[in-house]
Amino acid sequence: ATNVYSQVRDFMKDVLSHEVEKAPESRALDRATSGTSAEEETIRSLREKGVIDEIIKSLNANLDVSTASRAVNIPKDVQLSSGRRYMHFKLFKGKAFVEYITTTAPTNSNFVLHIHFDQQRFQSKPVPCAVEPNFDESFIFDLQPSNTNSMVETPTLLKNRSPLHLCLVKVDPDGTSTVVALHSLEWRKVLVRGSLSFTIELSGVGAKSKIPLGLLTVHLDLLPKPELLLAERDFTEKLAIEKREETEKTRVFFEYANEWWRDYKQIRASHERRLVKIYAETEDRSYKPVCWFLCPLRAGRLLDSPFHAARFVSLIPFEREHETPGTTKVEVWHSMHTFLTKGTGDCEEHALLLCSLLLGFGLDAYVCIGASGDDAHVWVMTRTLRGTVIFWESLTGQRLAQDDPRVSKYYKRIGCVFNHFQFFANNQPDDTVIYTQFDLENEANWKPMAEEFLDIGGTVPLPLIPSTIVCHNEEDHLETLLKQQINGHRASMDYSTTWDEDLSYLLTPALSNYELDRLGGITFGNEEFQQSVKRSVPSGHTFKGFPIQFSHAYLRQPARIMTALCKSEVCADILRTRGDHVRFGLRVKIFAYPEDVCAIWVMLAVRYRSV
């Protein structure tokens, strides 16, 4: 394999050397026209010629899976219980990650493999991105159903159709995570032999979904090994039956959906232009009913209320998925596992997660597809037993009753609503949100889809991962670094900086209050905070304060926080403060949520006597 990589690398160096010989104007024109670098263009050329495909196939065919150690190395922090069945998942060194074939220099980015199965999630240790990423790790999955105490046997395990969902992420030095490959692994092959080694060919995501990315070697073991294994014929027949059933259900659904849509358009001419989305494209490029993407999701003890769920989801950064230049825009709805793994997402992914969490809290919750202004938008709705309709904005955590005057500012039109088993299209003459009746059971106002046709499986619930952020340590560290940034900033203006630790401490209640306001729209302790400040600021002095909130993306990046502070005119004015007895206060308060999502509140304050 090393010789193959060397040959390709030499070939690319030769191509790049010819590139250097071009006139600068010619190279610039090439870059402007293609939008790619010379290395990217060469990789693309190799792919088009089938060279990289041949490398992958050659390595795949010759990969010696027998070299995978058959010894089962149980991780030290795992205790296996007698009477329970487990699966050992061993991950080995990767091969042929061709994106990194152009250089022998080490990269500062790392690969991390995230794995989801049933109610279990794991992630590998970071390994440097390379042609052969050096994975070497074991994971233990509990296969025992929660409703049985006896050792589960292979016929019962065969009924578990949940795949092993693999999500390979590239993590850059600044903490940015990019999903580079997704794969659903059919783990039940191990039920035939009890122990199995094989290679997984990973492909890219989005526009690169048809492009091979690299190979992973994995080894599976059943622990303890069952005395009775499945016959390969029985296993093959079972999978074939499942495939036929899934195909038939999908065919019947699409036939029904097409007929339903024709009927809906005939009710009123304007219906054809309404924002009614019946199905969406999945990560594996198949199409599923939108209900398929939802499931009631319980967060255990990690989220205390629907308000906490809304705040948690709103803190996940919004990022619209950009299409590759020159290609058709593709709207893919990612799984919850992928969304949480990459840590950013579009409004659809935020709304799907929030709705699933609200369903888990027992609310009558629905995803709404409509428009805010001229743009399509997705948000969440709940209905109370009294018929009150509440709109939840998943990107901000804001909640508005339908009769709130602000609703028309954020939500203009609504085309359809759905949850994990129901779908309704707006059948009313006016689809303006403020004039819409949300009596979903009234077929004169809402056209439903038959629930039996929507039942074609769905998203597998996943557990949320507890936060690993030690808030008080991170707060102290970030405060120290920000003070250094502020000292340097004022020194560049020939100002000295003196810090008042007592003033800094008094800012804490204000930051807690700001988070409570974002969480539940309630505040308390304002009067006490104002009294404490007034008592601590000497007579004749002026007090100024500036609070600002950041997401977890800023956790270990004080320079980015300082840049944001300087962009605010109010804060910039505080930083330029001159006078007599100038004293600064700074407080950082971090509120942690699952998945290492957090709200970072920073407050800079100053007291001084004008001269």
Side-chain angles (χ1 to χ4, degrees):
T2 304
N3 290 337
V4 174
Y5 300 145
S6 299
Q7 291 173 17
V8 175
R9 194 177 291 116
D10 291 342
F11 167 74
M12 296 187 72
K13 286 181 180 178
D14 183 57
V15 171
L16 293 174
S17 66
H18 287 297
E19 181 75 11
V20 172
E21 293 173 2
K22 287 185 179 181
E25 297 82 1
S26 176
R27 294 202 304 273
L29 179 61
D30 289 345
R31 301 292 178 273
T33 304
S34 65
T36 59
S37 67
E39 292 185 357
E40 290 172 334
E41 185 66 22
T42 308
I43 283 284
R44 185 186 63 79
S45 177
L46 286 170
R47 283 197 175 110
E48 289 178 351
K49 293 177 182 179
V51 174
I52 288 184
D53 282 343
E54 288 302 317
I55 292 174
I56 295 285
K57 289 178 182 177
S58 174
L59 287 171
N60 203 358
N62 296 311
L63 199 61
D64 183 10
V65 296
S66 65
T67 60
S69 172
R70 296 285 175 166
V72 178
N73 297 316
I74 307 299
K76 294 181 180 179
D77 59 342
V78 174
Q79 295 292 328
L80 302 186
S81 301
S82 60
R84 300 188 70 85
R85 186 82 65 193
Y86 299 90
M87 179 170 64
H88 171 244
F89 179 101
K90 175 67 176 178
L91 177 64
F92 292 92
K93 188 174 184 179
K95 300 282 185 181
F97 281 73
V98 294
E99 294 291 337
Y100 302 91
I101 207 168
T102 58
T103 178
T104 56
T107 175
N108 292 325
S109 298
N110 290 313
F111 279 140
V112 178
L113 183 69
H114 296 257
I115 311 171
H116 169 221
F117 173 72
D118 270 354
Q119 288 294 306
Q120 300 161 82
R121 289 172 62 191
F122 295 98
Q123 69 179 61
S124 70
K125 297 173 184 175
V127 299
C129 296
V131 177
E132 296 186 351
N134 195 26
F135 291 110
D136 182 16
E137 207 157 349
S138 290
F139 306 99
I140 298 294
F141 292 93
D142 191 341
L143 301 180
Q144 200 74 20
S146 58
N147 58 355
T148 179
N149 294 322
S150 59
M151 178 81 73
V152 64
E153 299 298 340
T154 52
T156 303
L157 291 173
L158 185 59
K159 298 176 183 178
N160 189 340
R161 300 171 66 167
S162 301
L164 274 169
H165 186 256
L166 309 181
C167 183
L168 184 65
V169 173
K170 184 185 72 168
V171 182
D172 294 326
D174 64 357
T176 302
S177 295
T178 305
V179 176
V180 296
L182 298 168
H183 187 82
S184 289
L185 176 64
E186 177 52 80
W187 62 273
R188 291 178 295 175
K189 298 174 185 177
V190 75
L191 301 178
V192 176
R193 300 180 183 176
S195 183
L196 183 66
S197 293
F198 52 92
T199 59
I200 300 171
E201 183 175 323
L202 298 177
S203 297
V205 296
K208 297 181 179 181
S209 61
K210 303 298 183 182
I211 300 174
L213 177 74
L215 301 173
L216 287 180
T217 305
V218 300
H219 182 80
L220 303 179
D221 294 284
L222 290 178
L223 302 175
K225 186 174 181 179
E227 294 181 4
L228 179 64
L229 295 170
L230 290 180
E232 187 158 357
R233 179 178 177 181
D234 294 340
F235 170 74
T236 304
E237 288 181 355
K238 173 64 174 175
L239 262 60
I241 291 171
E242 291 178 356
K243 183 65 176 177
R244 286 196 299 269
E245 290 176 349
E246 181 180 349
T247 301
E248 179 61 16
K249 280 188 174 182
T250 302
R251 182 192 65 78
V252 170
F253 165 74
F254 280 109
E255 286 183 357
Y256 168 76
N258 289 334
E259 181 180 350
W260 182 94
W261 177 241
R262 285 193 299 268
D263 292 343
Y264 180 70
K265 290 190 296 181
Q266 289 176 3
I267 296 174
R268 199 171 286 109
S270 61
H271 282 191
E272 187 168 8
R273 298 186 297 276
R274 289 197 174 176
L275 293 166
V276 177
K277 191 177 184 66
I278 302 172
Y279 49 82
E281 189 172 2
T282 67
E283 297 167 345
D284 62 3
R285 298 309 192 193
S286 63
Y287 287 87
K288 302 290 186 184
V290 289
C291 300
W292 184 90
F293 294 86
L294 286 170
C295 65
L297 184 60
R298 295 187 174 183
R301 300 184 184 275
L302 301 183
L303 295 171
D304 294 334
S305 71
F307 295 163
H308 289 84
R311 180 62 170 150
F312 159 62
V313 175
S314 71
L315 288 169
I316 301 175
F318 167 79
E319 182 179 72
R320 194 174 297 281
E321 193 168 71
H322 300 288
E323 65 270 24
T324 302
T327 64
T328 304
K329 178 176 173 58
V330 177
E331 184 182 279
V332 173
W333 286 16
H334 293 286
S335 69
M336 291 184 198
H337 182 229
T338 302
F339 173 41
L340 292 173
T341 295
K342 66 179 179 177
T344 62
D346 213 330
C347 61
E348 293 89 352
E349 292 158 340
H350 282 79
L352 290 169
L353 177 58
L354 176 57
C355 187
S356 293
L357 288 167
L358 297 184
L359 288 168
F361 276 108
L363 299 186
D364 186 25
Y366 303 83
V367 172
C368 303
I369 296 181
S372 59
D374 297 328
D375 299 324
H377 189 52
V378 181
W379 67 99
V380 178
M381 171 190 83
T382 56
R383 299 187 304 168
T384 68
L385 294 176
R386 296 181 178 180
T388 303
V389 173
I390 306 294
F391 297 129
W392 302 63
E393 179 50 61
S394 61
L395 298 180
T396 64
Q398 179 178 252
R399 295 171 303 283
L400 298 175
Q402 187 187 8
D403 58 2
D404 191 304
R406 294 172 292 173
V407 164
S408 59
K409 177 182 178 181
Y410 299 104
Y411 310 116
K412 301 296 185 182
R413 295 178 291 121
I414 185 163
C416 63
V417 303
F418 64 92
N419 59 22
H420 59 303
F421 70 100
Q422 295 173 302
F423 181 95
F424 303 92
N426 192 350
N427 208 23
Q428 298 163 67
D430 189 348
D431 65 348
T432 305
V433 171
I434 59 174
Y435 299 128
T436 297
Q437 298 295 319
F438 286 92
D439 51 347
L440 303 179
E441 296 76 18
N442 184 351
E443 294 193 17
N445 287 336
W446 294 89
K447 181 175 174 60
M449 295 192 83
E451 293 177 13
E452 60 267 24
F453 291 102
L454 295 170
D455 183 19
I456 62 170
T459 298
V460 178
L462 81 168
L464 298 182
I465 296 177
S467 177
T468 62
I469 298 172
V470 182
C471 292
H472 61 276
N473 288 346
E474 296 289 352
E475 290 165 354
D476 288 341
H477 184 59
L478 188 52
E479 275 185 18
T480 299
L481 296 178
L482 282 176
K483 285 179 178 178
Q484 293 173 0
Q485 294 271 337
I486 293 169
N487 290 342
H489 179 79
R490 284 178 55 80
S492 67
M493 297 183 286
D494 292 329
Y495 299 157
S496 62
T497 305
T498 304
W499 294 99
D500 184 338
E501 295 304 324
D502 292 333
L503 178 61
S504 297
Y505 179 75
L506 296 180
L507 302 178
T508 307
L511 297 182
S512 295
N513 215 9
Y514 296 140
E515 181 64 16
L516 279 174
D517 181 52
R518 295 290 181 90
L519 182 64
I522 59 173
T523 59
F524 66 86
N526 283 330
E527 183 177 348
E528 288 78 8
F529 171 66
Q530 293 174 11
Q531 289 178 6
S532 65
V533 170
K534 288 178 180 178
R535 287 173 58 85
S536 66
V537 175
S539 177
H541 283 63
T542 299
F543 171 84
K544 292 181 180 179
F546 175 75
I548 187 171
Q549 185 238 302
F550 300 92
S551 73
H552 53 278
Y554 289 76
L555 183 58
R556 297 178 180 88
Q557 300 194 34
R560 288 182 65 190
I561 293 178
M562 187 65 193
T563 299
L565 293 175
C566 292
K567 286 182 179 179
S568 166
E569 186 56 39
V570 175
C571 187
D573 181 60
I574 292 176
L575 291 170
R576 292 192 296 265
T577 299
R578 300 180 64 182
D580 187 21
H581 288 87
V582 178
R583 299 293 184 269
F584 284 88
L586 178 71
R587 201 63 167 175
V588 173
K589 186 67 179 172
I590 298 175
F591 299 88
Y593 292 86
E595 304 288 333
D596 279 347
V597 168
C598 67
I600 305 172
W601 283 97
V602 177
M603 189 167 186
L604 178 66
V606 65
R607 65 171 178 85
Y608 63 97
R609 184 170 63 191
S610 299
V611 292

